Amino acid sequence: MGRSKRSWLWNILIVVTVIVCMIAFVAHYKNWTKVSTQDIQILSGAYYRQIKFADLDSVLLVEKIPPMQRLNGFSAMAKEKGLFREFKDSLTDKKVYVYLDNFDQQKIKVVYKDSLKVFLNLSDSLETDQLYRFLLDKKDATAAASLKQ
């Protein structure tokens, strides 16, 4: 009777593949935000944005995002993440970052550095509302500080 011999290399490869898939799932599962005194950092998997409070131009709460063309990213269930492009016209070719944990809830539209846009929300609508108020306060505070100078 011949005994089948499995290669240890294939077993290790399967385990490593499962671990990598689990890490990718956790990284994209929600938007990870970190707020410091100077900026906010948004991370969701491979998508990262750092927005300085001094660069904020407008912070709005919107119901829907405008129609855009996805350059890369994904949407799964109620999540939408990635890099999008507004419909191209003769003057602009702007890229928009989208970090939506729940597509059905309100979204925060952040415009910074005159024309760069980010749409984001968190899985909990109360957390999204708190983040919106915080960003609005930071924008107003930096605008008031720049007027004093």
Side-chain angles (χ1 to χ4, degrees), residues 11-25:
N11 289 338
I12 291 175
L13 185 63
I14 289 170
V15 170
V16 168
T17 302
V18 169
I19 290 171
V20 168
C21 289
M22 289 173 55
I23 290 171
F25 175 75

Side-chain angles (χ1 to χ4, degrees), residues 49 56 70-72 76 87 94 102 104 107 118 130 144:
R49 282 282 94 185
L56 289 176
R70 180 184 298 139
L71 298 175
N72 60 44
F87 285 117
K94 301 290 182 191
N102 191 338
D104 298 327
K107 296 108 181 118
V118 171
Q130 287 175 348

Side-chain angles (χ1 to χ4, degrees), residues 36-49:
S36 70
T37 58
Q38 301 295 320
D39 61 15
I40 182 170
Q41 300 170 6
I42 307 164
L43 173 68
S44 183
Y47 304 103
Y48 173 78
R49 282 282 94 185

Side-chain angles (χ1 to χ4, degrees), residues 102-120:
N102 191 338
F103 197 76
D104 298 327
Q105 294 177 3
Q106 289 185 322
K107 296 108 181 118
I108 302 171
K109 177 184 177 184
V110 178
V111 180
Y112 63 104
K113 291 186 179 178
D114 293 329
S115 62
L116 299 175
K117 294 179 187 169
V118 171
F119 288 94
L120 81 127

Side-chain angles (χ1 to χ4, degrees), residues 30-33 42 61-63 65 78-81 98-109 118-125 127-129 131:
K30 71 176 216 164
N31 293 328
W32 305 92
T33 58
I42 307 164
L61 211 52
V62 296
E63 289 293 324
I65 61 174
K79 297 187 185 311
E80 180 93 34
K81 301 186 183 194
V98 175
Y99 302 94
L100 300 180
D101 275 345
N102 191 338
F103 197 76
D104 298 327
Q105 294 177 3
Q106 289 185 322
K107 296 108 181 118
I108 302 171
K109 177 184 177 184
V118 171
F119 288 94
L120 81 127
N121 72 4
L122 305 173
S123 55
D124 184 13
S125 62
E127 290 178 8
T128 301
D129 191 48
L131 181 61

